[in-house]
Amino acid sequence: MKSVPRQIREYLNEPYPFYYENKKRLFSLLLVISFLSFIFSYFFEPFDVNETEHKISSVWILLIHAFTPFPIAYLYLTLVNRNKQDDVSWTLGKEVFHLSIILLIIGVVGFLIRDLIYTNPDNWSFRYFWEEIRNTFLIGFLLLVVVLPLNLERLIYKYNLSSKKLPSINEHRTNSLLIPIQSPISDEGIQLKIEDFLFAKVEGNYTEIFTSSSNETNKTLIRITLKELEEQLEPVSHQIFKTHRSYLVNLNAIESISGNAQGYRLVFKNCSTIVPVSRSRIVEFNSVYSHL
């Protein structure tokens, strides 16, 4: 039986969707959260207030507390998006960690602006420093401990259920066509036997082409973009599918399909690499795969 710390560690390592790539969607999401935060604070007043200390009206103070997190979260998540390696490696633990950092920054900023809105001689005391951070995490507790795990379980269930509705794998589908793959580097061209082709993966300025033969997986590195490879595989376009911005797969080579919170996970025979199908590609993948 696994120990509790190990179970927690494994749970935090579960793949989780990265929601922050689209700046317009991120902007809209944070704007809605700020507005809802203001509405909640205005009507429910979750924290005690002493209006005699207010330099400005209570409504303005609520607006400041509700919308100060907006630029902090937007700038931080934009920076994370710019520096992340890829969305496939994003996990629940990373989501919790970065959202906790954002909450910490919001709490610190809330402490630093106290002199602008309160006439309390103890504004710069440790007591209020701790109170601002504590209150921020109390508000964020629901998100970190309840919303994220519930969303994770919802997505795992959704994509697992969806993957089970796909038709059974047909192990007899073969295509012995040999297609020349050209590269800008004259001596890098290869002859790709479609029957052996598993998938291709972007690797920096190169593309890794994975093939299977004699019960083992081979990997060939070629200087070509994924789009160029897809164009050269046009003769078998009906069985080639771009599952993710970094992956192009041979649908006939898939051995099994399962789901996680990020979408589907594709397994290929004699290959340890798990290939993702991103959430945005699920519907099209289902359609194409079902009509092979």
Side-chain angles (χ1 to χ4, degrees):
M1 184 176 178
K2 296 178 182 178
S3 64
V4 173
R6 184 178 177 183
Q7 288 178 336
I8 294 174
R9 186 166 60 250
E10 290 181 355
Y11 192 70
L12 291 174
N13 283 329
E14 282 284 340
Y16 194 81
F18 187 82
Y19 289 110
Y20 316 114
E21 289 183 315
N22 188 310
K23 290 185 177 181
K24 289 183 179 179
R25 185 172 62 186
L26 175 61
F27 184 92
S28 300
L29 175 65
L30 293 175
L31 190 61
V32 169
I33 291 174
S34 296
F35 177 75
L36 292 177
S37 174
F38 169 76
I39 295 298
F40 177 79
S41 299
Y42 182 82
F43 286 103
F44 294 98
E45 299 181 352
F47 302 110
D48 294 332
V49 295
N50 184 355
E51 294 192 2
T52 61
E53 296 180 357
H54 292 181
K55 289 184 177 181
I56 54 180
S57 72
S58 298
V59 173
W60 277 108
I61 291 176
L62 290 178
L63 284 169
I64 290 172
H65 282 303
F67 284 89
T68 295
F70 179 93
I72 296 171
Y74 183 83
L75 292 174
Y76 183 91
L77 292 172
T78 299
L79 185 62
V80 170
N81 179 41
R82 186 180 303 170
N83 291 281
K84 78 177 191 309
Q85 293 182 341
D86 60 76
D87 53 358
V88 176
S89 63
W90 196 253
T91 64
L92 177 65
K94 290 181 180 180
E95 182 84 3
V96 170
F97 172 77
H98 286 287
L99 291 181
S100 296
I101 294 297
I102 291 173
L103 291 174
L104 178 61
I105 295 173
I106 292 171
V108 171
V109 171
F111 171 74
L112 294 176
I113 64 174
R114 283 188 61 86
D115 263 352
L116 300 177
I117 54 182
Y118 301 116
T119 58
N120 190 315
D122 295 325
N123 275 339
W124 293 98
S125 67
F126 179 78
R127 170 196 166 189
Y128 284 114
F129 176 76
W130 165 247
E131 186 175 284
E132 292 290 345
I133 293 176
R134 181 201 64 192
N135 290 348
T136 303
F137 273 90
L138 285 175
I139 294 173
F141 180 82
L142 180 66
L143 173 65
L144 297 179
V145 180
V146 179
V147 175
L148 293 185
L150 283 178
N151 190 47
L152 175 69
E153 297 301 327
R154 177 187 69 86
L155 292 172
I156 291 175
Y157 175 80
K158 174 183 177 180
Y159 293 122
N160 260 323
L161 182 63
S162 178
S163 68
K164 291 176 182 178
K165 293 180 180 179
L166 291 170
S168 301
I169 306 296
N170 184 350
E171 297 181 354
H172 302 291
R173 292 177 295 200
T174 59
N175 189 330
S176 58
L177 189 63
L178 196 66
I179 297 181
I181 304 299
Q182 305 297 326
S183 167
I185 309 301
S186 58
D187 59 348
E188 275 191 358
I190 63 172
Q191 296 291 320
L192 182 60
K193 189 177 181 181
I194 298 303
E195 185 179 0
D196 296 336
F197 174 54
L198 301 178
F199 62 91
K201 175 186 176 184
V202 172
E203 188 62 40
N205 295 324
Y206 292 82
T207 292
E208 294 178 332
I209 297 178
F210 290 76
T211 56
S212 177
S213 61
S214 303
N215 295 322
E216 64 179 11
T217 301
N218 303 304
K219 182 172 62 176
T220 303
L221 200 63
I222 183 171
R223 191 185 293 271
I224 187 175
T225 67
L226 207 61
K227 182 178 180 180
E228 290 169 338
L229 176 61
E230 186 175 13
E231 290 172 350
Q232 294 188 48
L233 292 174
E234 178 63 27
V236 289
S237 59
H238 64 285
Q239 69 181 75
I240 302 299
F241 188 83
K242 189 175 182 181
T243 62
H244 181 276
R245 63 185 177 186
S246 300
Y247 291 88
L248 189 69
V249 309
N250 179 5
L251 297 175
N252 285 348
I254 297 172
E255 187 173 58
S256 66
I257 304 173
S258 61
N260 66 10
Q262 293 179 347
Y264 288 165
R265 291 162 50 91
L266 307 181
V267 174
F268 296 83
K269 192 173 183 179
N270 302 318
C271 183
S272 60
T273 303
I274 306 297
V275 175
V277 182
S278 62
R279 292 176 299 121
S280 62
R281 305 286 289 162
I282 291 288
V283 174
E284 188 178 355
F285 177 88
N286 290 346
S287 176
V288 174
Y289 187 79
S290 298
H291 292 88
L292 272 179

